[in-house]
Amino acid sequence: MNTPVERKLKICDTTLRDGNHAVAHQLGHTDIVAYAKAAELAGADLLEVGHGNGLGASSIQVGRAALTDTEMLTAARAQLKQTRLGVLSIPGFATVERDLKPALDCGVDEVRVGAHCTEADVTRQQITMLREMGVTVKGMLLMSHMASTKTLIEQARLIQEYGAHAVILMDSAGAYTPAAVDEKVGALVEELDIEIGFHGHNNLGLSVMNSMAAVKAGATIVDVTARGFGAGAGNAPLELVAANLHLEQIETKLQLFAALDAADLAESTFVKRIPTNDSVTIASGIAGVFSGFAAPTRRAAEQFQVDPREILMELGRRGVVAGQEDAIIEVAMGLAQKNSLYDVI
């Protein structure tokens, strides 16, 4: 029999981290201060802050952030009293000495260490070190739709063995359906002794349904962003998840009207475009391709005069994941050459 975990649902607001993708990581000091205040009033349990790809990720390759990690975290920390401050650390982007320790010096309360869904072993160093330091640490399995339930259990058990307080399934491509969420989250809840969470994206328009399915399957952590602010079709919207939790009478620290106010604030100040579903983001969800590929795929499609949906479907067939952005150009060029051959014939 597994040891019971705390059942009260916790809401992680990733607006100031995942949402940074939607503005090419250009959230400024004023944006962070204003939204951190709103998230505190809304009763979010955790506010995740930083570059869209987490600590240490600001670069030419994935995008230069407007502010340093330290500047972002310091600005948010000053506004938070009840809401905890969190960061995402992906080994390969973030290092212990250069990124993690300075972040902790800024007053970070929780670190989420992420890895591809079949590579949990790369989180070991950071998770074990953070636990030894007494820091709350959670493991995140990215692109988790790509792994079977059996594989996810095996990978999640590794994260549990390393000492993480929770495992969170990331629907990085917005490819989950409620049935798949129920199966995979339910299995992890049954097999593990730590908390299970879910991070939904909206490529197929199912982020709210999937988040609610996760809760009903036993997840005790759900990630949201204001207005769904995020890469591609965006994330599970804070305001809609809050409304559904209210209707279902599921207890959280969220204050409904204050959560609605936080979303309104985001839209009026820094959400340049409310995420919507279009043919490209839908194709990304069907193909199971990382949501952050939508913008570079559009650019490559325009450059080589090919259908962006065809690029995404081929990327999906190849099983391409974040970090393999060069494949977008390669696929676009290949499609252009094939189309040119057909034109000659």
Side-chain angles (χ1 to χ4, degrees), residues 58-75:
S58 179
S59 64
I60 294 174
Q61 180 186 15
V62 295
R64 291 282 189 190
L67 302 175
T68 66
D69 292 334
T70 296
E71 289 170 334
M72 287 186 271
L73 294 170
T74 301

Side-chain angles (χ1 to χ4, degrees), residues 54 65 124 229 293:
R124 180 174 186 169
F229 190 46
F293 279 10

Side-chain angles (χ1 to χ4, degrees), residues 246-310:
H246 175 76
L247 287 173
E248 294 285 343
Q249 298 183 341
I250 296 172
E251 183 183 2
T252 70
K253 286 171 56 181
L254 279 181
Q255 302 298 308
L256 177 61
F257 284 3
L260 300 179
D261 290 342
D264 289 343
L265 171 73
E267 181 179 355
S268 66
T269 57
F270 56 76
V271 176
K272 308 301 183 186
R273 180 185 69 84
I274 297 175
T276 56
N277 294 95
D278 59 22
S279 62
V280 171
T281 62
I282 292 169
S284 176
I286 293 170
V289 173
F290 173 50
S291 296
F293 279 10
T297 294
R298 292 179 201 274
R299 291 194 293 269
E302 183 175 356
Q303 178 182 354
F304 293 98
Q305 294 297 294
V306 295
D307 190 328
R309 297 166 298 186
E310 290 187 3

Side-chain angles (χ1 to χ4, degrees), residues 117 141-147 152 169-172 176 184:
C117 59
L141 293 173
L142 284 62
M143 298 290 286
S144 62
H145 73 282
M146 296 180 72
L152 289 176
L169 295 184
M170 293 192 75
D171 183 16
S172 315
Y176 268 94
K184 292 182 176 180

Side-chain angles (χ1 to χ4, degrees), residues 29-84:
H29 183 273
T30 301
D31 302 323
I32 291 170
V33 168
Y35 191 78
K37 290 179 179 177
E40 170 89 8
L41 290 172
D45 292 274
L46 184 77
L47 180 65
E48 201 172 72
V49 176
H51 184 282
N53 294 81
L55 291 174
S58 179
S59 64
I60 294 174
Q61 180 186 15
V62 295
R64 291 282 189 190
L67 302 175
T68 66
D69 292 334
T70 296
E71 289 170 334
M72 287 186 271
L73 294 170
T74 301
R77 176 74 276 170
Q79 317 309 318
L80 304 179
K81 297 179 177 62
Q82 299 300 316
T83 296
R84 294 161 58 79

